Structure formats: structure tokens, C-alpha cells
Amino acid sequence: MTASQSVVLDIGSTKVAALAGELDASGSVKVLGFAIEPHDGVRKGAIVDAEVVAQAAGVALSRVEATSGLKGTPVVFGVGGRQGQPTLGQGLVPIFPSTRAITREDVLQVVNHSRQVALPDGRELVQAIPAEFRIDGRPAKKSPLGKSGSRLEVSTLLIGVESAQIELMERIAEAGGRAIDQFVYEPVASGLGVLTSHQMEYGSIVVDIGGDSTAVGAFEGGTAIFADTVPLGSKHVTSDISKLLKVSPEEAEALKVSAGCAIAAMVPENESIMVLQMGQIERRSMQRKVFCEIVEARMREIAKMVREALERGGCLDRAPGGMAVTGGGSQMKGITELFETTIPGVKAKPTVPHFRGHHAAEASRPELATCAGLVRYAVESCSDDLSPAVSDGSWGERIRTLMSLLGRKA
């Protein structure tokens, strides 16, 4: 495996997605192989059955390795849902003399200082993302490298993951004889997977609707300025349909996909759907608009929780580049209108990752947005981004930041 190639794994609530990719000359992700394998080893965003997940991950990774030829390479894991939790850290270092240019060593020193935050009990630091640099109290546009001042500060998104979940993911990797290269917070990965460099620079939001949860990220100045996870996703819509209509989960999922609309008012009054309730032999007719009222209630709750998360992060007025809505739950009709009415002033658009290569057409699907970003993150990070945390040779030595991305903008 070369430095431009990576193997990544995204453990979702109903599936694991594995992908091997590289960056081509244009900076686009070229798919070398991908696989999606279902499982039922996750509940409410947390791994509850490592053996089940490990089996699915092993199948997916083996298929990817066979297709790509990248065998036995360390795997980049995405973390999200209950697994990841962001904390804001602050760092400060003096620059002496103040007339000299700020160096990469200064930047890594201030980022390391910002990491000296006591995380909640039972959590370990897996990622540090500089959200904003300040020189002498003034925001530094793009990278602070090469600029001068007497004081360099940084606000850093620190991603802490439950130690128990880390142990389970290590077991999943070890079960297939693989090592963990790095953990990446999924809201950040999703943004890297679907947003252009211009959108990340200008100011944009990404919303990745998964099964158990919805990832929310905001980007500006080429880096992540906010990331969070909303504990609701498309599986909750399926559950509502199943309970209220008394249908099986499989029937509820099929109805959601085929007839769901996030805004019931968009559905004509005269449209109907056929529903097979549990214990019944024949399907019954139901007004589709009434069905979509069930769908809308939960989808609107998700949109409101996304708005509240963005409000807490102070990001609603920092997204002139709009909102990219992605993930497995993003392709429902009315998604754009729902988010635009719930979050006024933000232009929303359903988005999929754009790949290149032989598998591009098959892989360009919203549920692979996180994988696309994981590849980009892994490949665009470099050894200069690595800040030692421990000395045992594990992934803990490689707490990567987005410094290589920032460095190219200096």
C-alpha cells in the first residue's frame, strides 16, 4: 500500500461498509474496491455484539482486499453515534521573538496544549481537529503558518470515544488479523466525503442521516468548526411505521422506501398505498398522505434536532455554501423542503459522494459518504500531522489533525 491508498471501515447501525481507495491526480477518490455487509450487532449507536459485527466486517474487508489487492493493511475506522463525543479544547503558546514566522512546530505545540483536557470518565481521545486559530487574539484566516505575532491560540474539537467501544473495535480488527490505523469522527468524514474544497472553505453544513443517528458537521476555512451526532435516524421512522400501522419491520422499511415523503402536504389526496398488516393475508388500501404524516412527524423531529445542534454550535449563520444532506436516509422525497422549512435561510441539497474509477457508478451512493471521507482524511493526512500520545506503537500514537490540509493553504 502506498501513502496515497487506504482501507476504511464504517460500522453503521444495520451494516458495515468497507472501501479501499486512493486519490487520483485530480484529488478525487478512486475506488479500488468496496463492500457492504448487513449485521444486527449495533443498538442505539453502540456496538453490543462484537462477534456479529466482526463477522460482517471480516466479510466486507476480505471482499475489498480481494478486489483492490490491498491485503493486511491497517484499517481506518469511522466512529460516531454514542461512540464519539466532541469536547472543545483551548490552547495557547507564546511566540518569541514576535517578529519571526509561526512554524509547524508552533502549531503542533499549541494543538497539543489544547488537548490537555480531562475527558469524561471512561473516554479516550481519538482525534483532535483545530477549528480556529487566533494570533494575538485575532482569528487567523486559513493557516497561521508563516504569519507573525506574540501569541498563538487555537480552539480544537477533541473527539473522545468510550473506552469499552474502542476495545470492541480493536477486537473486531484483531478478529480479522488487522490493525487499526486511526479513528475518525464520522460527522467530519461525511463532510470530507461530499463537500468540495470550495464549500469547506466558504462555509457549509453536512447532515448524514444514518439508521440510529444523524451526523452533523459544519466546515469553514477548510476545516471542521463543529461536529455532533443527533440520536435519531431513519430506523426510527421505520419503527414508527411498524408500530402505528401494525406491520412487520420489513414491510415498514419497504413502505418507507417506496412511498415515504418527508412532507405529507406534497402528496396528492387521491394517492393510496397497499399495506400488509401482521396476521393478515391480504393487503389493505391506505391513503398515502396519511402514511406520510407518520413519516414526516419523525423526520421533522430529526430536522429540528439538527437545527438545535447547529444553534448550540453557533453555525446557522456560517453556511453560505448551503447544507449537503447525505446518508442512507437522505434520498426520501421532500428532504430538501423539510430541512429548508425547518432551518430557514439554509439551502439544502441531497448529496452523494462522487468517486472515480472502475467501481465509481456502483459506489456513488449516499450510504458511502462516510467511507469517501475516511479515505480522503487518511490519504491527505501526513506524518507531520501525527502527535504522539503514548509510546507503545499503537493507533494512540497517531492522533491526526487536519494540519496537512491547512498547511497547503498557507
Side-chain angles (χ1 to χ4, degrees), residues 294-339:
I294 299 172
V295 175
E296 179 181 351
R298 184 64 79 174
M299 291 303 300
R300 192 168 292 279
E301 183 181 8
I302 292 172
K304 287 180 179 178
M305 293 181 74
V306 168
R307 183 192 66 201
E308 291 167 358
L310 292 168
E311 286 175 341
R312 289 194 302 273
C315 302
L316 284 181
D317 59 349
R318 300 176 68 176
M323 173 186 290
V325 187
T326 191
S330 68
Q331 299 303 289
M332 183 182 295
K333 294 178 180 178
I335 282 289
T336 296
E337 293 83 356
L338 175 72
F339 277 96

Side-chain angles (χ1 to χ4, degrees), residues 11 18 21 28 49 116 131 148 161 176 200 211 218 225 259 270 286 324 344 363 387 402:
I11 301 176
S28 298
D49 192 330
Q116 309 309 310
S148 61
V161 174
M200 287 191 287
I225 60 172
N270 61 351
M286 177 183 183
S387 306
L402 291 178

Side-chain angles (χ1 to χ4, degrees), residues 142-220:
K142 302 182 181 179
S143 170
L145 295 175
K147 299 179 173 65
S148 61
S150 61
R151 186 176 76 253
L152 176 63
E153 300 172 81
V154 68
S155 297
T156 304
L157 293 177
L158 305 175
I159 310 303
V161 174
E162 293 178 358
S163 300
Q165 290 293 300
I166 290 177
E167 291 174 4
L168 290 176
M169 285 184 279
E170 289 175 334
R171 282 173 53 192
I172 290 168
E174 291 169 359
R178 301 173 179 91
I180 294 177
D181 176 64
Q182 189 56 233
F183 292 111
V184 180
Y185 195 35
E186 290 177 356
V188 176
S190 296
L192 292 173
V194 299
L195 296 177
T196 65
S197 297
H198 176 73
Q199 286 175 310
M200 287 191 287
E201 179 69 31
Y202 194 46
S204 300
I205 294 167
V206 63
V207 175
D208 187 335
I209 306 174
D212 278 325
S213 61
T214 297
V216 186
F219 292 75
E220 188 179 63

